[in-house]
Structure formats: structure tokens, C-alpha cells
Amino acid sequence: MADIQRRPLLRHLRGAPTTYVRHLRGGKAVHEGVGVSFWFRPLSAVISEVPVDDRELPMLFHARTADFQDVSVQATVTYRIADPALAAGRVDFAVDPDSSGWRSAPLDQVAAMLTETAQQHALTRLARMRLREAIADGPAAVRADVAAGLGDDPRTRDTGIAIVGVRVVAVRPEAEVERALQTPAREEVQQEADRATYERRALAVERERAIAENEMQNQIELATREEALVAQRGQNDRRRAEEAAAAALIAAEAQAGRDRIATAALAAQRRELGAAKAEAEAARLAAHQGTDPAVLLALAARALAEHLPEIGQLNLSPDVLTTALARLGAGTGTGER
């Protein structure tokens, strides 16, 4: 808004670079333009102030599609007043010299006009579209129709308003309908997620199976090697046992041979010793042949005495000695016969 300073009976207005100001006095324009500055009398001056900068006008309205579904349209229209003199003649932009504000709400009037016009074109467009088409292609179609409709609208041109741009943010159905429409997509996404999960699990199971098969193959290979090792060890043990048995047989045969030789030698020795003893006994007997029996008795007694234990003292009575000599004599006589 322009800056108005008070003075006695006078006012001074200093405009802004984005504001068009027109000063009428007696129905004639005294001052007009953008960024003007002048003095005026408040009692005789009519001041109009028109903004010429770009303005954003947000819109939110409801529409119905061809299949009788309610949708909400959220859009923004950017406009500016390209001909402020024309706009000042069609809309009340009068300024109160004392309060420096508009006497009415001209921008609200402009906004209502643009909103109703844009809503009319959007409703017409959406009424020819089904719900799914409106959600998918509605924003672009509504934006094109609203921009063309506002640009070609006679009232907009006659008011000096230029449309800078139109943006349609969203065309959305009711919450329940939107959830119902989202359900198939969500189910599809969930199915894709489940499929990915199943594939990941299947891949994990396949990898675990491959690992288990690999471990089993390793165990089989180890068992085969262990079996071969056991067989080789058994064969080696058998060979060692056979070699030990052969060696023992050879040792036993050698020992038997040695024993036979030793036995034969011992037998020969004993035969020779027996023969020698026999010859010695025969020689001894031959030596005593013809010897007096009394002498033989004495020799026998001496031989017996040699094999008896030591006797410290022996007492022989005459009777015992007589009996012994008599038996000895009887035995000798028998031997002679």
C-alpha cells in the first residue's frame, strides 16, 4: 500500500513500485502511474490504488466425475493486473486518505471472480471424465482447461487481468474411495514383496541344500577314504602277520632242528657215557672176579659207608656183628653157586 502522510488540510502520498495509483479530482485524472508521489486535498481527491505485482490465488473446490464420484481439486492461479486503469474502472480500488486502506475488498472480488471462472471450467472438464481417468489425467487436463478458460474469459479481459500461470496440485477422491482404489495397488505391491520374500527364502533354502549336499559329499568322500585306509591298514596287518608267522615258522623249524641236533648229541653222549660206565663196571667186576668174599664184603661196606651220613659213634654188639657176617657169608656162597 502507498504511504500517506497527514498535514493540516493536505495529504502527501508516496506510492510503491508495484502499485498503480490514480488521483481523480472533479472526475478528471490529476496524477496516475506506478511509483508516483504527490500532494492532494483529502476533501476533493479520489485515490485509487491497484497492485500490479503477481498474485497467488489458492483454490480448493469439489467436483463430480462422469461416474458420479466426488473429487476435490486443489489448484493455484497466478495472476496480475495488466491494465490497472481498466481494473480501477471495473473494480472499486478506492483508498481512504485517512486510513491508507481500501474502502472495500477489491482483491477478494477479483479472487471470487477468478475462482468461480476456474471452478466452472474444471467442473465441466471433470464431468466428462471417469474417476480413474480424473485421478490419473485430471490434473493436466484441468490445468489446460482452466488456463485457456481464464485467458479467454471476457470478464477477465475487461477487468484488465492477465493469467500468469495455473497449477493443479491434485485431484483426489473421497478418503474411503481413495483407500478402495489404493487397495489393488497395495495388494500388488504386497504380492511383489511376498514374491521377493519367497524367492529370497527359496534361494536361501537352495543355498542351504547345496551346502548340505556339499557337506554330505565331503562326508562320503571322507568315509570312502577312511574305508580305503582301513582296508590298507588291514592288508598291511595281514602282511605283517603273514611275515611274522613265516618268520616264526622259520624260527621254529630252526629251533626244532637245533633241538634235534642237541637231542641226538645228548643221546649219543649218553650212549657213549653208558657204554663207558658199562665198560668201567665190567672192568671193575672183572677186577673183583676171584676175590675173597670177605674182601668184597669189606669193599661193599666201605662203599656203603661212603654214601651214609656222618656217624659220630657206632657201637656194634657181638651178636649184631655175628649175624651180619653170617648173612654176608650166606649171600656170598649163593653168588658163587
Side-chain angles (χ1 to χ4, degrees):
M1 298 296 292
D3 181 22
I4 298 178
Q5 296 182 0
R6 297 181 182 182
R7 296 291 185 272
L9 302 177
L10 293 175
R11 300 289 187 273
H12 182 268
L13 183 143
R14 184 176 59 188
T18 58
T19 303
Y20 171 84
V21 177
R22 184 172 65 173
H23 174 207
L24 298 177
R25 185 172 59 198
K28 295 181 180 181
V30 181
H31 302 93
E32 61 179 338
V34 177
V36 296
S37 179
F38 54 88
W39 291 91
F40 65 93
R41 294 179 180 274
L43 297 179
S44 59
V46 176
I47 307 296
S48 297
E49 185 176 359
V50 181
V52 294
D53 56 342
D54 291 349
R55 298 268 171 169
E56 300 286 342
L57 177 61
M59 302 178 183
L60 179 62
F61 52 87
H62 293 273
R64 178 168 291 184
T65 61
D67 49 358
F68 305 102
Q69 298 295 325
D70 291 334
V71 294
S72 60
V73 180
Q74 184 177 356
T76 301
V77 175
T78 303
Y79 70 95
R80 66 183 180 87
I81 299 177
D83 191 347
L86 184 60
R90 297 295 299 270
V91 181
D92 185 10
F93 284 95
V95 176
D96 186 358
D98 294 328
S99 62
S100 301
W102 283 309
R103 296 180 181 274
S104 60
L107 294 182
D108 293 343
Q109 184 178 352
V110 173
M113 178 187 64
L114 294 177
T115 300
E116 291 176 356
T117 304
Q119 185 174 358
Q120 179 181 359
H121 292 288
L123 293 176
T124 303
R125 181 64 178 181
L126 291 174
R128 299 194 299 268
M129 304 176 68
R130 300 184 67 83
L131 179 61
R132 293 182 180 274
E133 183 184 1
I135 295 174
D137 303 329
V142 170
R143 179 176 62 252
D145 286 4
V146 169
L150 290 176
D152 296 336
D153 186 65
R155 187 179 178 187
T156 304
R157 291 197 306 268
D158 293 343
T159 311
I161 299 175
I163 303 301
V164 178
V166 177
R167 299 188 302 276
V168 177
V169 179
V171 177
R172 302 185 61 178
E174 295 180 350
E176 295 180 357
V177 177
E178 185 175 11
R179 284 194 297 269
L181 293 174
Q182 291 174 352
T183 299
R186 290 180 179 177
E187 291 295 334
E188 184 177 358
V189 172
Q190 186 64 39
Q191 290 176 3
E192 291 294 332
D194 294 341
R195 185 179 300 108
T197 302
Y198 296 151
E199 291 178 356
R200 185 170 60 253
R201 290 180 180 176
L203 180 60
V205 171
E206 182 65 22
R207 290 180 178 176
E208 291 179 358
R209 186 182 63 81
I211 293 172
E213 289 182 355
N214 190 15
E215 292 179 352
M216 185 179 298
Q217 188 65 30
N218 292 335
Q219 292 178 0
I220 293 173
E221 185 176 357
L222 291 176
T224 303
R225 292 183 179 180
E226 185 176 0
E227 182 181 0
L229 179 61
V230 170
Q232 186 64 37
R233 286 180 177 176
Q235 185 176 359
N236 294 338
D237 292 340
R238 284 194 300 273
R239 288 181 180 178
R240 283 194 293 268
E242 291 174 357
E243 294 293 335
L249 179 59
I250 294 173
E253 292 177 352
Q255 184 65 34
R258 289 194 296 269
D259 291 342
R260 284 195 299 272
I261 294 172
T263 302
L266 182 60
Q269 183 181 2
R270 287 183 178 180
R271 282 195 301 271
E272 291 178 359
L273 181 61
K277 286 183 178 181
E279 291 177 359
E281 185 65 23
R284 188 176 62 79
L285 291 176
H288 291 293
Q289 187 175 6
T291 305
D292 187 11
V295 175
L296 293 175
L297 182 59
L299 292 174
R302 188 180 66 179
L304 179 61
E306 290 178 357
H307 293 87
L308 291 176
E310 183 180 357
I311 301 174
Q313 185 177 0
L314 178 64
N315 296 322
L316 296 176
S317 63
D319 295 334
V320 173
L321 183 59
T322 300
T323 303
L325 289 175
R327 291 180 178 176
L328 180 60
T332 304
T334 305
E336 288 179 354
R337 287 191 300 266

